[in-house]
């Protein structure tokens, strides 16, 4: 059981293809203003995007650390090319902690403190235990896990920081095929970075107009925004020690402040919910996964 | 390796029932994979799979006919309740399965510790898409074979196989996951039931159809997956094979309803050093098993004796009645 006030906030890696200037300015503001404890930076979805911000990455890391944030370096979700695998090995040489988003990087991380990202399958306490014994000190759980699983895992690895996906479009699938490129009639190699037009992903609706998914290059996310603000205290009861907020074009300083205030008890969850709605009135919220049902729905209690 | 140096490609075939297993063995399967009748395997469909007695008989039958039985225990153990999954591993070992096919880190750890002599195959559900990932499982658990995700090209399969310190197995025929297997929650987003947690994808229990002015609307949970005009074929509403719309355009945004058939690529896969090829479809009929396994037996035998590959079409048997070489042919890059 965690005291909500001692729960920390993690800003997950930016999953979308933002222009380098926007990217740098976003993190500068996070560094200076957001009540965030840990910030994951680095490309997760597509290695072709890496060159665009690799030049500004050292400055951003320095700025975040100067702002008192703990910086974690995120690894690629689906490295298959040799250069992508080498990139993982290079990350592992940095002084910052690395978050593994694919098993391929684990051999480089075993034996020293590292983080397990939400794209690695940790579905039960035995898997969590195995990873913690190899040096994992943070485990961000897969977003589809229900509270019963979250509680069992958190109880099995009390020494680790167990984290839950608490805000943002939910990563649902990763592929070798780029859906942005496919939709624009291009191949992955000739994509011309069409994903950069959709800063929160490209909304996908059903043919009957239901809001359903969002495309982000090779990644597919939910169109709804996971929002566990009302469930945060329950998650604390279950031993969750950190909540992950995933970056969007929303005012993420405001989002993190609303979460912080709610955890600290200075803002009522219902009020926090209204405040989040105000930030993006069009957005649909969901929390079904945590409640053991369809991820797309918002379950009360 | 050249054709003369390597072992013949091993033909790994599906069986959803004891009868299908016998059909597969009779049709020329070198190995058959199947699962227990519960949520421990990723084809947890009603009326499918084996109870313990059936599995025992199947293993005996296969052994007397020179075939191996691989037991798929390839979902993730439910947190707080690993019992059914551990029992499945214990039983597969006790019944003399040639190998178990696992995906879950906790179960791999359990099997390696509890049954050091049990041969472990890494399920495609583990999503090991690189030699580095595979070798992690080899070093940690002594995995002897990895089933590769269907997202790799033949060149990538060759590179992975060259650097992997265990055998590799690739999918050869049947349903085509376009998302990396084992890392997909699309189904649970719409239905609450996922491959990883429940062994199902786009489950029939959540499928419904309705007519809308002559158009057939296929639904999964609360979402329309496809709308078919009266003259259009109606497929099962597997989520990633549906038609959707965006501001850019609409249609099959993720994948056409096609199936994989790599028979023309068998020489390339053999040259890539792949040990085994796998036919998908534990949920399919005995007629399907017989036709597909026989065709692949002929193709593999032709390959190994350097005869021309037979090219009779299997498309009528497949989902969507259209086949593709999938990612193997690198059309996506």
């Amino acid at each position: 059981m965690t005291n909500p006030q001692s729960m920390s906030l993690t800003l997950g890696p930016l999953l979308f293809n933002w222009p380098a200037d926007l990217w740098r300015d976003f993190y500068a503001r996070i560094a200076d203003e957001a009540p965030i404890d840990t910030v994951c930076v680095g490309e997760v979805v597509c290695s072709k995007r890496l060159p665009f911000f690799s030049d500004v990455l050292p400055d951003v890391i320095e700025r975040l650390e100067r702002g008192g944030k703990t910086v974690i370096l995120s690894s690629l979700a689906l490295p298959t090319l040799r250069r992508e695998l080498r990139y993982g090995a290079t990350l592992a040489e940095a002084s910052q902690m690395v978050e593994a988003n694919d098993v391929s990087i684990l051999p480089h991380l075993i034996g020293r403190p590292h983080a397990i990202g939400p794209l690695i399958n940790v579905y039960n306490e035995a898997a969590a235990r195995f990873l913690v014994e190899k040096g994992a000190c943070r485990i961000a759980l897969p977003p589809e896990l229900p509270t019963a699983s979250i509680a069992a895992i958190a109880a099995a690895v009390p020494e680790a920081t167990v984290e839950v996906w608490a805000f943002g479009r939910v990563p649902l699938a990763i592929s070798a095929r780029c859906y942005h490129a496919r939709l624009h009639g291009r191949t992955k190699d000739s994509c011309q970075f069409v994903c950069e037009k959709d800063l929160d992903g490209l909304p996908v609706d059903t043919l009957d107009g239901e809001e359903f998914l969002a495309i982000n290059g090779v990644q597919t996310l939910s169109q709804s925004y996971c929002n566990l603000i009302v469930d945060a205290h329950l998650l604390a009861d279950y031993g969750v020690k950190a909540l992950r907020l995933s970056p969007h074009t929303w005012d993420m300083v405001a989002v993190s402040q609303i979460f912080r205030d709610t955890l600290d008890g200075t803002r009522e969850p219902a009020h926090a919910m209204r405040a989040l709605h105000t930030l993006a009135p069009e957005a649909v919220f969901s929390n079904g996964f945590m409640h053991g049902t369809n991820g797309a729905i918002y379950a009360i209690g | 390796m050249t054709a003369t140096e390597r072992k013949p490609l091993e033909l790994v075939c599906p069986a959803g029932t004891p009868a299908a297993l016998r059909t597969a063995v009779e049709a020329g399967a070198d190995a058959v994979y199947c699962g227990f009748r519960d949520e421990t395997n990723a084809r947890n469909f009603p009326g499918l799979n084996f109870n313990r007695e059936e599995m025992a008989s199947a293993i005996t039958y296969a052994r007397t006919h020179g075939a191996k039985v691989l037991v798929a225990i390839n979902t993730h153990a439910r947190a707080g309740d690993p019992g059914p999954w551990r029992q499945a591993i214990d039983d597969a070992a006790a019944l003399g399965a040639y190998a178990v096919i696992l995906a879950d880190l906790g179960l791999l750890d359990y099997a390696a510790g509890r049954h050091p002599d049990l041969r472990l195959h890494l399920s495609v559900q583990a999503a090991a898409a690189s030699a580095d990932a595979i070798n992690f499982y080899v070093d940690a658990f002594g995995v002897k074979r990895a089933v590769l995700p269907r997202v790799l090209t033949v060149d990538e399969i060759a590179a992975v196989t060259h650097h992997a310190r265990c055998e590799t197995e690739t999918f050869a025929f049947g349903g085509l996951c376009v998302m990396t297997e084992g890392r997909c929650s699309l189904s649970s987003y719409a239905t609450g039931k996922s491959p990883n947690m429940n062994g199902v994808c786009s489950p029939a229990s959540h499928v419904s159809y309705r007519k809308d002015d002559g158009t057939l609307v296929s639904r999964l949970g609360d979402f329309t997956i496809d709308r078919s005009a009266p003259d259009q074929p109606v497929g099962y509403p597997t989520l990633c094979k549906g038609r959707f719309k965006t501001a850019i355009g609409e249609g099959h945004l993720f994948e056409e309803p096609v199936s994989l058939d790599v028979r023309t690529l068998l020489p390339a896969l053999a040259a890539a050093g792949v040990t085994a090829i796998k036919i998908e479809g534990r949920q399919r009929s005995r007629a399907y098993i017989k036709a597909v396994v026989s065709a692949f037996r002929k193709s593999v035998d032709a390959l190994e004796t350097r005869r021309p590959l037979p090219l009779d079409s299997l498309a009528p048997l497949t989902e969507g009645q259209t086949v593709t070489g999938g990612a193997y042919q690198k059309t996506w890059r």
Side-chain angles (χ1 to χ4, degrees), chain A residues 77 101-103 119 121 123-125 144 172 174-175 177 182-183 187-188 205-206 208 210 224 294-296, chain B residues 77 79-80 104 136 178 180 182-185 188-189 191 194 196 219 222 224 227 245 252-254 256 332:
Chain A
N101 286 308
D102 184 71
V103 168
L119 303 180
N121 285 333
Y123 277 83
N124 51 57
E125 58 274 46
E144 76 167 352
L172 297 176
I174 190 95
S175 174
R177 170 180 283 195
R182 177 172 156 86
L183 197 50
T187 66
K188 192 168 163 186
D205 294 345
T206 72
D208 283 329
E210 296 134 336
S224 70
N294 316 359
Chain B
D104 181 73
F136 167 77
V178 68
T180 310
R183 303 178 76 175
C184 181
S185 312
S188 50
Y189 184 67
T191 72
S194 75
N196 281 354
R219 309 257 305 161
D222 297 329
T224 291
R227 294 177 62 93
K245 62 182 181 186
H252 293 107
L253 300 189
F254 303 107
E256 314 284 334
W332 303 345

Side-chain angles (χ1 to χ4, degrees), chain A residues 8 48-49 52-53 101 106 114 248 251 266-267 270 285 299:
Chain A
S8 65
K48 288 183 68 179
R49 300 169 179 173
F52 292 117
F53 60 84
N101 286 308
L106 286 182
H114 60 273
H248 284 281
D251 181 346
T266 59
R267 198 193 274 265
F285 292 135

